[in-house]
Amino acid sequence: MAKILPFKGYLPPPSLAKVVSSPPYDVLSSDEAREMVKKNDRSFLRVVKPEVDFTIKDEPQHEDLHQHAANNLDQYISAGNLLKDEDESFYVYQISMGMHMQTGIIAAVSIEEYDGSLIKRHEFTRPEKEDDRTMHIDITGANTGPVFLTFRNNGGFKHQLSDIISREKDISFKAEDDTVHSIWKVKDAALINGIRSYFKTLDCLYIADGHHRAASASRIQKTRSNNNPYHNGNEPYNYFLATIFPHDQVQILAYNRLVKDLGGLSEEQFLNAIESKFQVKNLSKREVPNKKLNFTMYFIDQWYALEVKPEIISDDSALALDAAILQEHILGPILKITDPRTDNRIDFVGGSRGLEELEHRCKSNAKVAFALYPVSIDDLLRVSDDDKVMPPKSTWFEPKLRSGLVVRLLD
């Protein structure tokens, strides 16, 4: 079963939702976020990415930085940029991007089920990022950004939402990236019970994005429950904020790779090494890969197509992923990048930025770029079901969820 709860969310007034809500903290660099805040000082980036209020030279660190985020959050509430709902509610959240639309629910999700692997994961977390998010949640006393969850859609979820989304939206706006975000508040007891009952029929939920936020929420729950002599399991810290979409509405784009040097190899040695595991051919123009087990590579002002030779394809659900094949047969053995999570010679570029970004970076601060075919949602679910782990930065989800659209306090 999947245990979810309604809660009294803090939402911006409809007229301010566009300017208050922001992209997630982890899709922008600090400099990109600073530029956005210069144009919009109400942006929720001032809470989820509080360094935007400082120059690099005078930026506070650790607890002081997150205390500044907490102060900003308090100011948003006191100034009316975020208003607390009077009723415990679920929130239906719909995002449109071009022809793509996905409709899900924002809810409080059980940390007990996360700890018990009823909320399945597919990534390792990085200790320093987990520490940072734990500090953020603890000091702000809030879930300021949702974990993105998904589930295997059996068709029943649409029925649960059909009457809700036929009525007038409580919030709707077009964001700066042309995505359209809409919210319907669900506070009717019968509708809430129907949604909760539906989720109880599900075997499990899956983390699509937000592993660090989920792990950090779990750590906060342990600390607060241990420090609370009256702990009973019903406190807000026993749940985390999540947006849950059916699996067949989730859209995944490629997550491409850039490498700064050839690990000591000459250009000829590098190409020869690749040809031992891949069929390599020149391309007359830039191309994205058109199927699994195929890559395109930009190297010395030339695009190449790389096709995996059959003998290196694995039956293992995680090792058969294109990102794993690239790591196991090029990045690791040839370019000497043994841990892509920590090696500063590799960088990752979301597929939404296009191949032009790969070319630009190779002409400025990288030597070679690899464009990947997107992971499918079925691959993600399969790896999670097998209790396996994907390589880091395997998935880039679009459209992005907004932060500051629904905030949940723990106190």
Side-chain angles (χ1 to χ4, degrees):
M1 63 179 285
K3 183 179 180 181
I4 66 171
L5 291 180
F7 62 97
K8 295 180 181 180
Y10 286 75
L11 288 75
S15 62
L16 295 180
K18 178 176 181 176
V19 295
V20 170
S21 68
S22 74
Y25 80 97
D26 53 355
V27 303
L28 298 170
S29 70
S30 296
D31 286 341
E32 288 172 328
R34 287 186 179 100
E35 288 301 313
M36 291 188 74
V37 171
K38 283 181 183 178
K39 301 173 185 176
N40 172 21
D41 64 3
R42 282 180 167 174
S43 171
F44 203 68
L45 288 169
R46 297 184 60 224
V47 175
V48 294
K49 216 167 176 65
E51 68 270 22
V52 298
D53 284 343
F54 305 92
T55 65
I56 296 175
K57 292 181 179 180
D58 66 0
E59 178 184 321
Q61 298 298 313
H62 307 301
E63 290 93 344
D64 291 340
L65 181 62
H66 293 296
Q67 185 58 56
H68 182 75
N71 295 341
N72 283 348
L73 179 58
D74 289 343
Q75 290 172 10
Y76 275 57
I77 294 171
S78 62
N81 292 324
L82 291 172
L83 304 175
K84 184 180 181 180
D85 275 344
E86 295 181 357
D87 302 298
E88 290 193 338
S89 304
F90 287 132
Y91 302 90
V92 173
Y93 183 19
Q94 185 176 84
I95 316 176
S96 302
M97 184 177 74
M99 299 299 294
H100 175 80
M101 178 182 290
Q102 56 194 66
T103 307
I105 189 128
I106 299 176
V109 175
S110 168
I111 289 174
E112 181 182 13
E113 293 194 347
Y114 169 82
D115 291 338
S117 298
L118 292 177
I119 299 175
K120 298 188 177 185
R121 312 159 219 186
H122 66 266
E123 283 185 7
F124 288 129
T125 57
R126 294 175 61 172
E128 69 277 10
K129 288 187 67 177
E130 191 177 313
D131 289 345
D132 178 76
R133 283 302 98 185
T134 300
M135 195 179 300
H136 180 83
I137 296 170
D138 190 33
I139 293 175
T140 62
N143 298 140
T144 57
V147 178
F148 180 179
L149 301 180
T150 189
F151 62 94
R152 292 188 184 275
N153 186 19
N154 58 15
F157 185 63
K158 183 177 180 180
H159 173 72
Q160 294 293 326
L161 303 187
S162 58
D163 288 342
I164 298 168
I165 63 175
S166 66
R167 71 185 193 209
E168 186 177 352
K169 301 166 183 174
D170 290 288
I171 291 175
S172 188
F173 63 93
K174 179 180 284 191
E176 64 278 349
D177 61 357
D178 290 332
T179 55
V180 177
H181 300 259
S182 301
I183 294 282
W184 291 263
K185 297 180 182 181
V186 184
K187 52 189 177 181
D188 178 81
L191 292 173
I192 287 173
N193 289 334
I195 291 170
R196 292 186 66 184
S197 296
Y198 173 77
F199 276 90
K200 287 179 181 178
T201 68
L202 302 179
D203 292 333
C204 62
L205 299 171
Y206 299 83
I207 296 180
D209 197 19
H211 286 78
H212 291 92
R213 275 159 276 178
S216 298
S218 177
R219 286 173 58 179
I220 292 295
Q221 190 273 342
K222 307 301 174 295
T223 300
R224 295 198 174 197
S225 61
N226 289 337
N227 292 336
N228 181 4
Y230 305 104
H231 171 78
N232 59 29
N234 295 318
E235 298 86 354
Y237 57 70
N238 293 290
Y239 296 82
F240 62 83
L241 179 69
T243 301
I244 314 169
F245 290 103
H247 84 283
D248 52 358
Q249 293 183 22
V250 172
Q251 180 172 252
I252 306 176
L253 304 186
Y255 219 148
N256 300 321
R257 273 76 169 136
L258 287 159
V259 181
K260 294 180 180 178
D261 59 61
L262 299 182
L265 296 178
S266 68
E267 295 167 353
E268 183 178 5
Q269 288 172 326
F270 171 65
L271 287 174
N272 288 340
I274 289 177
E275 288 176 345
S276 67
K277 300 291 182 67
F278 298 82
Q279 300 287 348
V280 180
K281 70 174 184 179
N282 290 15
L283 295 173
S284 59
K285 59 180 180 179
R286 67 172 77 104
E287 291 183 18
V288 296
N290 60 7
K291 59 182 178 179
K292 292 176 66 173
L293 304 178
N294 284 258
F295 307 84
T296 56
M297 178 180 74
Y298 188 67
F299 181 55
I300 318 179
D301 299 324
Q302 171 67 50
W303 280 98
Y304 298 85
L306 310 182
E307 183 175 355
V308 176
K309 291 184 177 179
E311 58 266 26
I312 68 171
I313 300 173
S314 173
D315 293 329
D316 184 286
S317 59
L319 294 178
L321 297 172
D322 287 12
I325 291 171
L326 185 67
Q327 176 61 40
E328 293 296 316
H329 297 285
I330 294 181
L331 299 180
I334 298 175
L335 295 175
K336 310 305 179 189
I337 297 172
T338 56
D339 187 354
R341 294 193 301 160
T342 59
D343 197 317
N344 61 13
R345 294 172 52 234
I346 188 170
D347 199 3
F348 304 88
V349 178
S352 61
R353 294 181 180 256
L355 298 185
E356 295 87 346
E357 176 68 10
L358 299 185
E359 291 185 6
H360 170 73
R361 292 285 299 277
C362 282
K363 292 172 182 176
S364 58
N365 59 6
K367 187 69 174 179
V368 60
F370 300 93
L372 283 70
Y373 189 75
V375 171
S376 72
I377 187 62
D378 289 329
D379 285 335
L380 185 151
L381 300 182
R382 189 177 304 112
V383 169
S384 301
D385 284 338
D386 290 346
D387 199 24
K388 303 282 187 178
V389 176
M390 288 183 172
K393 309 291 187 183
S394 291
T395 51
W396 179 274
F397 294 92
E398 287 283 355
K400 296 296 182 188
L401 315 184
R402 300 290 283 189
S403 293
L405 195 51
V406 180
V407 176
R408 177 176 174 269
L409 297 196
L410 303 185
D411 301 308

